[in-house]
Amino acid sequence: MKIKPFSIYSHCNTLRGVILMPKEMKAPCKTVIVSHGFASNMVITFGYAKTFAQAGYVAILYDFCMSGSGISSGKSTGMSVLTEKANLIDVIDYAKHLDFVDENNISLAGCSQGGLVSALAAAERQEDVKRLFLYYPAFCIPDDARRGHMITAKFNPNEIPDKFNAIFVRLSRKYAEDAKSLDPYKEIREFKKPVLIIHGIEDALVSIDYSRKAQQQYCDCRLVEVHGDHGFIKKGFAASKKATLDYIKDNG
């Protein structure tokens, strides 16, 4: 497996990542762009990227700009789900022009907040996305913002503070306001292509009910429920890997 670093300019910031290339590849190659979750970075998504490389994909993983973690630039107080969607769309456009990428076979994969971002980007750029892989996607984020409880942050949703912390990430009102503006289930149903969702039954951060509801919005969606926590940190990754490889084997 070869690893190639890259960087692009994305909305006034520098976005950095790496490209994993399978040992045996014949260009142009099917490709997947893997997006990480909140308070995370591409190191956490490396296992998912390796799974796709094992299945013959070129895997592009990267750090969102302004994420509060990772090697891309920008202050976390400027970040929101919508800025991350803009970053992902820039990565899609970058991937389309790589000579070893099949521009007609680009999939998106996302974990947690990166899953929500991937779902929104796929709906907006359906012509560029062949398939969608979502791991414990955080479709709860807009609801969390509207109720004023986002991970460790608590606030009055009608009087969102200028700055607040969630875990170790410093955020601004923009993060919550942008989340409140979203109607994710209305938006994602515009994506008419195949979707795989894998979610842990024991997920205490994002209820699996959100993925069950998402499955109902998509016209071609397989939901695989596994025993696992949020992030598949203690349990769930092995089952997730198997489900991903089985799905790729069944669907090409």
Side-chain angles (χ1 to χ4, degrees), residues 104-108 126 128-132 191 193-194:
N104 297 311
N105 199 340
I106 296 175
S107 298
L108 302 184
Q126 182 166 195
D128 294 321
V129 180
K130 183 170 184 178
R131 192 171 287 122
L132 192 54
F191 187 71
K193 298 178 182 179

Side-chain angles (χ1 to χ4, degrees), residues 93-124:
D93 289 336
Y94 167 74
K96 286 171 59 180
H97 292 95
L98 294 172
D99 57 9
F100 52 84
V101 167
D102 181 352
E103 64 176 324
N104 297 311
N105 199 340
I106 296 175
S107 298
L108 302 184
C111 301
S112 193
Q113 180 168 296
L116 171 59
V117 170
S118 296
L120 295 172
E124 182 171 323

Side-chain angles (χ1 to χ4, degrees), residues 12-118:
C12 302
N13 286 293
T14 301
L15 182 149
R16 299 181 177 91
V18 297
I19 303 172
L20 272 62
M21 300 180 182
K23 291 182 179 179
E24 298 180 7
M25 56 179 285
K26 294 181 180 180
C29 294
K30 57 184 179 180
T31 299
V32 62
I33 301 170
V34 187
S35 298
H36 65 77
F38 180 83
S40 184
N41 54 56
M42 63 180 166
V43 174
I44 306 301
T45 58
F46 195 79
Y48 299 90
K50 286 177 64 178
T51 297
F52 286 106
Q54 181 181 330
Y57 280 76
V58 166
I60 300 175
L61 57 162
Y62 65 101
D63 291 334
F64 282 114
C65 298
M66 305 181 288
S67 68
S69 180
I71 59 173
S72 294
S73 71
K75 294 183 179 180
S76 59
T77 48
M79 180 267 290
S80 76
V81 169
L82 296 183
T83 67
E84 291 195 341
K85 182 179 75 167
N87 288 160
L88 177 50
I89 288 173
D90 285 343
V91 177
I92 292 171
D93 289 336
Y94 167 74
K96 286 171 59 180
H97 292 95
L98 294 172
D99 57 9
F100 52 84
V101 167
D102 181 352
E103 64 176 324
N104 297 311
N105 199 340
I106 296 175
S107 298
L108 302 184
C111 301
S112 193
Q113 180 168 296
L116 171 59
V117 170
S118 296

Side-chain angles (χ1 to χ4, degrees), residues 163-234:
K163 302 287 191 300
F164 61 94
N165 287 351
I167 313 178
F168 60 81
V169 182
R170 187 68 167 166
L171 300 169
S172 73
R173 182 188 292 114
K174 176 179 176 57
Y175 181 83
E177 291 286 7
D178 280 0
K180 284 175 64 179
S181 73
L182 294 172
D183 185 353
Y185 294 116
K186 180 180 179 181
E187 295 182 48
I188 66 172
R189 69 171 67 109
E190 297 301 317
F191 187 71
K192 307 298 184 184
K193 298 178 182 179
V195 180
L196 173 66
I197 303 176
I198 306 176
H199 206 127
I201 297 168
E202 293 84 13
D203 192 331
L205 185 62
V206 179
S207 170
I208 196 170
D209 288 340
Y210 281 95
S211 285
R212 290 169 178 162
K213 184 175 180 180
Q215 182 190 28
Q216 296 172 1
Q217 312 307 310
Y218 287 119
C219 61
D220 182 2
C221 180
R222 179 188 298 180
L223 171 61
V224 179
E225 301 185 8
V226 301
H227 286 288
D229 56 339
H230 190 74
F232 300 147
I233 297 169
K234 296 180 180 179

Side-chain angles (χ1 to χ4, degrees), residues 226-247:
V226 301
H227 286 288
D229 56 339
H230 190 74
F232 300 147
I233 297 169
K234 296 180 180 179
K235 187 176 182 179
F237 181 77
S240 170
K241 178 177 180 178
K242 182 180 184 305
T244 300
L245 293 174
D246 287 348
Y247 184 84

